[in-house]
Each structure stands twice: as structure tokens, then as C-alpha cells.
Amino acid sequence: MLTAIVGINWGDEGKGRMVDLLSQQYDVVVRYQGGNNAGHTVVNERGRFILNLLPSGILRDETVNVMGVGMVIDVEHLFHEVERLREGGIAITPKHLKISDKATICMPYHKLLDILEEERLADKKFGSTRRGIAPVYADKYYKKSIRMGDLLTPEILREKLEGIVEWKNLTIANGYGHEPIKVDDMLDWLMQYGMAFKDYICDTTEYLNEAIAEDKNIMFEAQLGALRDIDYGIFPYTSSSSNISAYAPLGAGIPGKKLDQAIGIIKAYSSCVGEGPFTCELFGEAGDALREAGGEYGAATGRPRRVGGFDVIASRYGVETQGATSLALTKLDVLSYLKEIPVCVGYTYNGEALSRFPLGLKLQEAKPVYENLPGWNCDISGCRSFDALPREAQDYVKFIEEAVGCPIQYISVGAERDAYIQMF
Ligand code: GDP
Ligand code: MG
């Protein structure tokens, strides 16, 4: 069984929590895109762990974890992430962790360029995570990057770096006026942090094809949500990679294989980090109360997230883009404080109703159409069956299911592993 777990909205849908729950049924967990620009916290009996680069299955000894072709890897960050997990008693060996030889290394100068550009933009800045993700993906498509597999032939590294460093200094020194970067520093960095993973680097295509031949269950884990996809999201307020399920086999290393299912993680309301159009945004008291109830503050930064009601137009687009075969609805319990639940049921542009999620100027200027649905206004965090939910909560779930046109398979009513309802 090949299953992708993907975000339907703007990210922070609770993917970490659902992947942690569902990955128990899988032999292999694969990350297929992105770098350490997002992450999630997984809480289990061994403690509380933050994963930025490592696939979520890393916390279980018997699961094999793969960092795929489509990833960009800051090996220094990975080094420290692995170290922290080991301190927490998690075993990480080449048996548990396989890193694609085709994955791209996110170098210190990518981070530097990210920071220099944000500083140049000053008050017009973009809200980059400053982890070098946009620069490293740009260089990948420029075909001027170091891949994990290059670490296996260190004799060519210096020559490769000489060409790249000369080219990068055209921008870093001549453009931004920063001190030039040095080949020796980059080489030392690769030796110190990259070489630590020498024994983990392999042809993940070969490994995954073998796993499929042995009928293993494989889960593909995505970062962020459909609306942050580089092509289909709210460009340019997107991530720099493809996070949609269709990309999962490519980014993992098995481009010829097809997924059996894509489970979309969808939140019972909306949240959005940073700049960009967010039509359903709620302001003032309504927004503050929802943010508070949902704990919608950046995991790393503590920055308050923008929040809104469930967005029918954006979510329907997310479901379509992800090709979701079923959904996991998360954080339904967060809405329990409300007597009436505001839902964004449509958008208008220049006074006309839009039937599809727009992009560009239309999206910038779209206005939300809000309706109130009846709330249940009581604690539902102990409910473990659909029948146990209050009528209004059942109706809310059914409303979402119908509005986006995809069956809801799981309903999450709390952050704890067992706080969910399985529908089928
Ligand atoms: P991700 O980026 O999609 O993995 O999501 P985040 O981890 O950034 O945000 C999800 C947060 O909500 C985490 O702190 C989870 O523990 C919490 N969470 C997940 N599902 C639920 C839920 O159903 N109810 C409540 N109350 N919290 C949840
Ligand atoms: Mg998150």
C-alpha cells in the first residue's frame, strides 16, 4: 500500500499528529520534498521530539525512514536533529535511515543569501524562514548544487565547489557587498557535517522498489499544504517545492509507481502563517478567541498565526489539488467554545460570486462570504465515535464533507494519540 499524507490548507493542519498516528501501520516512512523550513512536534511515551528533516517514523525502531530525492538537506541541521534524538534514546542507524544520493544539500551560503535578501527587502520582506530553502531550490534548477551522493566521491568535491563558490560570490560579494565565501570553509563544513551521513546515503529508488516488491506498506509524508505548493499554491507566498501528493512518488525516488491513496489533513477552521492573501481571515475579538482556543502560535517563533473560519472555496481547491481519496478532519474540539460557528462559504470579486478558488489579483481582492452554523458549545474531546458527538458537531462534519466532496475518514478531537474518531 502506497499512501501519501498531505495538507489540504495552508499548513499546520496537524499533519504531525496524524502521521504519528497512522505511520504505525507502515513499514517505511518517506519525506519527499522540502527541508527544515517546517516541522512538527511529536509527543509519545519516550518524550517530546521536534522533527524538521527526519521522517516521523524515526521514533519507532522497526520503521525504515527515507529522505527522498526531492528534499533539500542542511546537513548541519540534520546532524543536530539526530544528536538530540539520540540523547532522547532514539536509535538512528543506516538500517533506520536512508538518504537519497540525489537529494540536494542546503549549504551555509543558501542560508546567508536568504538572510541577505530579507535584509535588502527590509519593510517589504517576504517572511522567509531564512533557512535557505528558496536559494537552494533555485540553484538545483540552475544545476549548480552539491548532492548528497557527491559526498561519496570526496575527490571531486573541491573542484565542484570552486566553480560554485566563484559563481555565488558574484552575488554575495559583488551584489550584496558581503564578505566573500571561501571554498575551504565550505569543504570543511561538508566534511564535518555531511560526512557524518556517508553510510546513510544510498539509491533510495532501489531500496523503495525492493520494499514494494516485498509488499511493504509505504507512507509519504508532506510538509505544508496544497495552498503552499510552488505551482498550485498562492504563488509567490508558497514554499519552493511541490508538496502535492502527485509529486510524492517522484520526490521519493519511484517516479514510475502510483499511489494507492492520498489522505488529506484538513483543519476544522483556517490558519495561515506570514504574508499573502488569506480571504477567510477573522479579525478583532473573533480572531483572537479562535487563535487562543486553537493555540495558533508559530511552533518555532511563537508568532501569532492569522486565523479564520473553515474556508469552503480554498479547501475544495485543496482537496482537488491533492487528489485526496479521504480526509482527516483535525482540531474539531477547538470550536467547542462557540455558540455559532462562522464558516466562509464563498468568495466574491467585484461583487460577483466566484465558484472556484482564484489566483493572482482576483485572490488578493476577493471578499469572503460568511455564514454561521450552529455550534455544540460543549466538550467533545472525550468522544470516540461519531454517534457520541453532539448533533451540531455531526452536522458540521457532514457539512464539510459535502462542501469539499470527499469522505472524512478520521476526526481528531485532541492532540493526544488516541483522541480521534475513525469513520471507516
Ligand atoms: P503540522 O504542521 O500540520 O504538523 O501541524 P502543527 O504541529 O504545526 O500544528 C498542530 C498543533 O495542533 C500541534 O500542537 C498538535 O499537537 C495540535 N493538534 C493536532 N490535532 C489536534 C486536535 O485534534 N485537537 C487539538 N486541540 N489539538 C490538535
Ligand atoms: Mg507546523
Side-chain angles (χ1 to χ4, degrees), residues 337-388:
Y337 76 98
L338 286 161
K339 292 207 168 64
E340 289 197 306
I341 303 174
V343 175
C344 175
V345 294
Y347 292 178
T348 58
Y349 173 70
N350 280 343
E352 271 177 49
L354 294 174
S355 55
R356 272 182 74 72
F357 186 71
L359 290 172
L361 183 67
K362 262 192 179 176
L363 179 62
Q364 289 288 352
E365 298 193 348
K367 299 274 180 293
V369 180
Y370 260 99
E371 262 177 31
N372 282 323
L373 296 182
W376 45 95
N377 204 217
C378 62
D379 184 12
I380 58 166
S381 59
C383 296
R384 294 292 176 270
S385 73
F386 190 68
D387 292 339

Side-chain angles (χ1 to χ4, degrees), residues 10 28 59 82 99 111 114 152 205 233 315 340 349 383 405-406:
W10 295 263
V28 182
L59 302 177
V82 165
I99 305 176
K111 233 159 57 180
D114 214 347
L152 301 179
T205 303
S315 301
E340 289 197 306
Y349 173 70
C383 296
C406 187

Side-chain angles (χ1 to χ4, degrees), residues 209-252:
N209 276 327
E210 271 168 26
I212 291 170
E214 289 165 16
D215 246 353
K216 296 239 165 90
N217 286 325
I218 305 179
M219 168 184 284
F220 302 86
E221 174 184 8
Q223 233 186 359
L224 296 163
L227 298 166
R228 302 288 190 188
D229 179 82
I230 179 80
D231 294 311
Y232 296 92
I234 51 171
F235 187 86
Y237 303 98
T238 57
S239 66
S240 304
S241 61
S242 300
N243 58 35
I244 53 171
S245 71
Y247 185 74
L250 279 84

Side-chain angles (χ1 to χ4, degrees), residues 182-212:
K182 298 192 189 77
V183 173
D184 280 342
D185 291 348
M186 295 305 120
L187 204 53
D188 288 351
W189 184 85
L190 284 173
M191 291 301 135
Q192 184 178 355
Y193 297 114
M195 280 306 181
F197 297 100
K198 189 167 53 67
D199 299 336
Y200 297 75
I201 302 167
C202 64
D203 178 355
T204 53
T205 303
E206 187 181 17
Y207 170 73
L208 289 170
N209 276 327
E210 271 168 26
I212 291 170

Side-chain angles (χ1 to χ4, degrees), residues 320-341:
E320 175 191 288
T321 305
Q322 291 291 14
T325 50
S326 69
L327 298 172
L329 179 67
T330 59
K331 300 188 99 165
L332 187 64
D333 57 302
V334 168
L335 301 178
S336 297
Y337 76 98
L338 286 161
K339 292 207 168 64
E340 289 197 306
I341 303 174

Side-chain angles (χ1 to χ4, degrees), residues 7 11-19 38-43 48 221-225 265 267 269 271 293-299 305 329-334 381 411-416 419-420:
D12 298 319
E13 296 95 345
K15 284 181 302 299
R17 177 248 188 290
M18 288 313 295
V19 167
H40 38 243
T41 312
V42 180
V43 183
R48 185 185 166 86
E221 174 184 8
Q223 233 186 359
L224 296 163
I265 314 300
K267 194 149 74 175
Y269 58 93
S271 74
E296 296 294 345
Y297 297 89
R305 294 174 182 154
L329 179 67
T330 59
K331 300 188 99 165
L332 187 64
D333 57 302
V334 168
S381 59
I411 302 168
S412 175
V413 291
E416 306 72 35
Y420 73 96

